[in-house]
Amino acid sequence: MNKKQAKERIEYLQKTTQYHAKKYYDDDKPEISDFEYDMLMVELRNLEKEYPEYSSKDSLTKKVGGHVKEGFKKVEHEVPLQSLQDVFSFKEVKEFDERVSKQAIENDIELNYVVETKIDGLSAALEYKDGILVRGATRGNGLVGEDITENLKTIKTIPQKLKDKINITVRGEVFISKADFEKMNQEREENEEELFANARNAAAGSLRQLDSEITAKRPLDIYIFNVQKIEGKEFESHFEELNYLEEQGFNVNPVRIYCNNIKEVLNAINKIGEDREKLTFGIDGAVVKVDNLKFREILGTTSKVPKWATAYKYPPEKKQTKLKDIICNVGRTGVITPMAILEPVKVAGSTISKTTLHNEDFIKDKNLKIGDTVVIQKAGDVIPEIVEVVKEKRDGTEIEFNMPEYCPVCGAKAVREEGEVAIRCTGIECPAKLYRNLVHFVSREAMNIDGLGENIIGQLLDKGLIKNIADIYTLTFEDIASLKKKGDKFAQNLIDSINASKNNELYRLITALGIRHVGVKAAKNLAKRYKTIENLQNASFESLSLIEDVGEIMANSIVEFFSENQTKDLIKKLKNSGVNTKVEEDDNTDNRFEGMTFVLTGSLEEYTRDEASDIIEKFGGKVSSSVSKKTTYLLAGEDAGSKLVKAEKLGTKIITEEEFKEMIK
């Protein structure tokens, strides 16, 4: 490589590592694996060492990645929260020991080490005054972090008060356990939410929430691994420090091995590597630290890393196995997900026999066929994944896989809409989707059946009292009363609510059916246009496409939905149960708001947002969710926010609730 090539490569690597560091530290959405990022950093470090003239003070080899997120207060760290120098071989660990040993001999100091697990989480500093937790912050760029005190206080393993009344700042790693991480991702998959890439990013994203109530719902934990600063107390060794922290009530890193020499250090790294699958938390390496604290001061630090520690990173373990079959599972929202059935193989300490293939595009991108020999690894040491196909091992017996045209659970048509990767079951009575469909059907914006919440729906399903949506209307007083001790009052209230829902307006029923892309606004337009559920069932794609706010995608979704036998069966059952399926003729000819567009903001005293919207629409007006030049009135209640500011800028007429009441007299 000549100088020109070196300069170009260094500039490329500096730019690329900055980009991926931002995705990892700031956005909590990495696009490449930790190992791939580490390899880029190793190459950059080596090139900058060979060509120092092309190095830069902004290179991530010189500083810690990460910035303060907008919305958080800045915290200046009295003692910098530095990164660690990563190494990837025992040869590099020995070279670290040689450098440290040389200075130990020169200073006549006995050299000992502590080897700890490198926890895969988000680093944080906790500050205590007189033994009381007063502030917590993220690492940020090492010098300035984010004030996340309220979020950290939601973590049960962080003591609010210490045993001793001391002034101390400690550093720890916030993480999510392997079991909790798998549970979180499973729930997100069922809810069709984007999966967390790994446990570290799940923890980071949870901890850096502007709303601490969201953080409180996440299963965060912490292990403390260092004293940053302490007043009125001195320690000789790091090991002694950790024991003291444990006595104070801190949750200290449970894996810490005292070593007398480099041989014991290497044995400890091997031991942690062998046992890593048994750990309840994820790790991405082992940290080797000098134990003597005064010797640490002699060794010093660079601008980015301490010279008294190094981090050994374990390489991802890969194994080959056979892809025996591909089956499809149906989630609660109807997404059909392909699953690889593998010849069992042990990877990173656990036996892998199946793994998700995500979607149709993933299978095509990997060029997977049933019968292939594939390479398996664990992503983030938790989730097993297929890395690639070993094409040279193909013998012609492999079978192409195609996603099913019909739902494997209920037989309804399976569709993939334009611009989406997911294939979905369209059957409204599909057993796999039933719980989610029921929850939506009874929700406030749909049929609004008060008292029929998620817990009650779960009990009714478990007891076999409902097997489809229409069964809600066949529930008896005795059925409901049996769910609770002394449940007579509850049962009567729920029966009354169910009966009342039969008289709902047609748009509520259309909303409740859960037709993909059809929300409340579209449902109102459809009810207004077609008047009856039968007319909507028979509507053509062409006529639907001409309706305001109904585009081609929504029109196609409606046609597909009503073409299913399951839909026809449900509508018939609902009609037989007495549920209203038509628009009641309204004698009102008062269109005083015709041609006007209203936007609602803040809290109203006498009306809910839905009630106010219904009144506006009854008088021929429209309700929009955002302020624009076309907005006629902004109806502003208490605690009006950004919409009020925008309306003032645009000169939009702003009315109070009292003025609105005058307008509708």
Side-chain angles (χ1 to χ4, degrees), residues 638-664:
E638 289 293 318
D639 301 320
S642 58
K643 290 178 184 177
L644 179 60
V645 176
K646 188 171 182 182
E648 289 170 342
K649 283 183 180 178
L650 292 173
T652 303
K653 174 73 175 173
I654 299 165
I655 58 172
T656 64
E657 188 171 358
E658 287 301 314
E659 289 173 312
F660 178 68
K661 284 161 69 178
E662 285 296 317
M663 292 171 72
I664 62 175

Side-chain angles (χ1 to χ4, degrees), residues 31-74:
E31 293 180 357
I32 60 175
S33 68
D34 288 358
F35 185 75
E36 289 171 302
Y37 177 79
D38 289 339
M39 291 303 100
L40 291 174
M41 286 297 294
V42 167
E43 184 184 357
L44 178 58
R45 192 163 60 238
N46 291 339
L47 281 172
E48 286 183 344
K49 191 175 180 180
E50 188 175 350
Y51 301 94
E53 64 268 33
Y54 302 133
S55 185
S56 164
K57 65 178 182 179
D58 294 324
S59 172
L60 287 180
T61 59
K62 308 285 193 304
K63 64 179 185 178
V64 175
H67 303 89
V68 176
K69 188 175 181 179
E70 193 175 333
F72 286 108
K73 290 181 182 177
K74 292 182 179 180

